[in-house]
Amino acid sequence: MKTPSMKDFLVAPSLLAANFKNLESEMEMFNTSEADMLHFDVMDGRFVPNISFGLPICQTIRALTDKPIDVHLMIVEPEKYLKAFKEAGATSISVHIETCPHLHKTVGEIKEMGCLVGVAINPHTSVDLLIPILPDIDFVNVMTVNPGFGGQKFIEASLDKIKKLRQLANELNPDLGIEVDGGVDLSNIEKIRAAGANIFVAGSAVFKAENPHNVIKQLKYSQ
Ligand code: DX5
Ligand code: ZN
């Protein structure tokens, strides 16, 4: 498996919106599409008010694709599960700044394992808090909905945050990837890209579409 470059334009369909009854055919759709990696949302019912899926499903998915798996840990004490997710097949792992009192240490542990490392921030969290860690990470996951559920509406104020983050990245880490997660679809992709984001997570927009391949292509190449 090729490690993705997080500064490229990447589309990451979010498994959360897939039809779990037909996981194999959903993965077949993903594999035969132009999607770059699979976004894998782990929720614990503590940091976020919902529970999703965890290690066994990650292992199952790993066996069903050669593409990268981008694990988004919406859980308290994520440092306890890093190794397990790496072993279950994670290519990149993002942890929330809101759950990591020892962020620098946690980021170091993810890197040492050989995973790409991201830091996710909630809609109310200021991008300024990322300044000290920006030089050490591969990407930021800017949450553009309150984490916990798929299918929510994109929060417009996020666009200014993305712009500000891109400016900070130009100074502190020009290779930084900016991932957007939540409510991304064909109606807002152009604004999101223009603001400076380059990694597009999309759950409902892809898996609930009549023609997911087409949506993935449009997300990837829209200007
Ligand atoms: C939300 C998750 C997202 C979610 C996106 O808490 O982190 O990754 O799956 O789903 P959509 O694209 O439907 O908003
Ligand atoms: Zn996510």
Side-chain angles (χ1 to χ4, degrees), residues 118-121 130 134 137-142 165 176-179:
V119 173
I121 58 168
L130 292 166
L134 277 189
I137 61 179
D138 298 296
F139 67 105
V140 170
N141 177 353
V142 178
L165 181 58
L176 187 83
I178 300 183
E179 179 174 61

Side-chain angles (χ1 to χ4, degrees), residues 39 41 72 74 141 143 181 201:
H39 187 77
D41 287 310
H72 176 194
M74 288 166 275
N141 177 353
M143 288 306 303
D181 188 7
V201 174

Side-chain angles (χ1 to χ4, degrees), residues 66 80 114 121 126 150 166 183 201 204:
D66 292 329
K80 287 187 180 167
I121 58 168
S126 165
R166 185 50 79 195
V201 174
S204 319

Side-chain angles (χ1 to χ4, degrees), residues 2 13 43 50 54-55 66 72 77-78 85 91 100 102 137 145 161 166 171 203 209 217 219 221:
K2 216 172 120 240
M43 304 177 182
N50 195 10
L55 294 160
D66 292 329
H72 176 194
E77 299 181 339
F85 275 102
T91 315
C100 292
H102 309 292
I137 61 179
V145 296
K161 271 176 90 174
R166 185 50 79 195
E171 284 167 45
K217 199 179 274 178
L219 289 171
Y221 300 111

